[in-house]
Amino acid sequence: MPIRRLYRRVTGMYRKAGTVARHALRGIPARSARTGSAGLARIDAQRRLLDAMRELPEPYRTTIVLCRIDGRSPEAVARWLRVPAKVVRARLRHALRFLAERLEGRGA
């Protein structure tokens, strides 16, 4: 699978995981549970993504969580972390590359 396609896949999974987490914190009920192999495949893919995220070294994990799950812009994250925006964008690229390699190695 091309690396660019994996980047998009990882980013989409992050957004979905972030939405689910925010809804859970606010007490919003989840959509009806999906059944069948498609739902199980999605759950398995999310589990693999979370496992790969746990392996991410700092500061990459913090950067990707703030940008992809919390939905903050790289500039806002840079101000919050007190680093240049260029550093945040580089950390995002490295984190996504790391995750894509891990997921590719696990058959995602």
Side-chain angles (χ1 to χ4, degrees), residues 34-44:
R34 295 182 177 168
T35 58
S37 61
L40 294 176
R42 179 179 285 269
I43 290 169
D44 186 47

Side-chain angles (χ1 to χ4, degrees), residues 44-75:
D44 186 47
Q46 288 174 344
R47 185 173 294 130
R48 286 193 310 267
L49 175 62
L50 291 175
D51 289 343
M53 276 188 63
R54 286 186 191 106
E55 296 174 12
L56 260 176
E58 285 296 337
Y60 303 110
R61 186 179 330 135
T62 299
T63 304
I64 203 158
V65 166
L66 291 172
C67 288
R68 299 297 189 210
I69 294 179
D70 289 349
R72 298 178 191 201
S73 69
E75 290 75 20

Side-chain angles (χ1 to χ4, degrees), residues 20-30:
V20 169
R22 283 191 299 276
H23 285 185
L25 288 173
R26 293 180 185 146
I28 299 171

